[in-house]
Amino acid sequence: ALQGVETANFEFPLLTKTGARVEVLLNASSRRDVEGRVVGMVGIGQDITARIAQEQEYIRLIDTANAPIFGVDTEGKVTVWNRCAADVTGYTADDTMGHHLVSEFITEDFRASVQEVLDRALQGVETANFEFPLITKNGARVQVLLNATSRRDAEGRVTGM
């Protein structure tokens, strides 16, 4: 900000006087004089420690659930693959992340119908108890039951399923 460039949503740790660690979200803007020269900056910081703790708990809950949970982005690429999904299919999260769910992990005879369910979820239409086979790493078919719901960002925009 002191060089004339605004900073938005910069996260960093801050140690308090007592030594406690606080996670801070900073937004900084340049302060200029009447001639447009940078004479300082205005910064607004927000303590996001609790939010980060909630996000980490959410990740742990998904990862340790006793049901396969997977998520995709708006392009159908895997963004979430929990331990149970890995146990059921033999594919680790590293094997699946960024790969297209339907074209790479769904049996050919179900690709069109699964893609339709995902497309509807990405339009905000939920589907419950849709049964289809996933392809395991060793080539076997395993039946799973899908509940497809939209995932949204803070502004309510669909970011995936």
Side-chain angles (χ1 to χ4, degrees), residues 9 25 29 43 61 93 110 114 116-117 136 160:
N9 300 323
L25 179 68
S29 297
L61 285 170
F110 273 82
V114 171
E116 184 179 327
V117 169
T136 66

Side-chain angles (χ1 to χ4, degrees), residues 72-126:
V72 297
D73 62 15
T74 56
E75 296 176 359
K77 294 181 180 176
V78 177
T79 57
V80 175
W81 194 266
N82 77 346
R83 288 183 201 166
C84 188
D87 291 344
V88 167
T89 65
Y91 289 107
T92 66
D94 287 341
D95 291 335
T96 61
M97 291 297 173
H99 291 267
H100 196 269
L101 177 71
V102 173
S103 64
E104 296 185 47
F105 304 104
I106 306 299
T107 60
E108 191 170 338
D109 53 331
F110 273 82
R111 287 182 184 153
S113 58
V114 171
Q115 187 64 57
E116 184 179 327
V117 169
L118 296 183
D119 290 343
R120 284 198 312 261
L122 294 173
Q123 295 168 5
V125 180
E126 296 182 4

Side-chain angles (χ1 to χ4, degrees), residues 2 5 9 17 20 24 33-35 40 52 57 59 61 80-81 83 106 121 126 128 139 152 157-158:
L2 291 174
V5 179
N9 300 323
K17 187 176 181 178
V24 176
D33 63 16
V34 293
E35 295 171 358
I52 289 174
E57 178 63 16
I59 290 167
L61 285 170
V80 175
W81 194 266
R83 288 183 201 166
I106 306 299
E126 296 182 4
R152 297 176 184 272
R157 292 182 298 252
V158 174

Side-chain angles (χ1 to χ4, degrees), residues 121-161:
L122 294 173
Q123 295 168 5
V125 180
E126 296 182 4
T127 299
N129 300 322
F130 178 77
E131 189 174 337
F132 69 96
L134 280 172
I135 302 169
T136 66
K137 195 167 189 172
N138 66 12
R141 290 168 64 121
V142 61
Q143 291 296 119
V144 295
L145 203 57
L146 175 66
N147 290 304
T149 58
S150 305
R151 197 172 30 186
R152 297 176 184 272
D153 64 16
E155 288 79 42
R157 292 182 298 252
V158 174
T159 60
M161 180 232 52

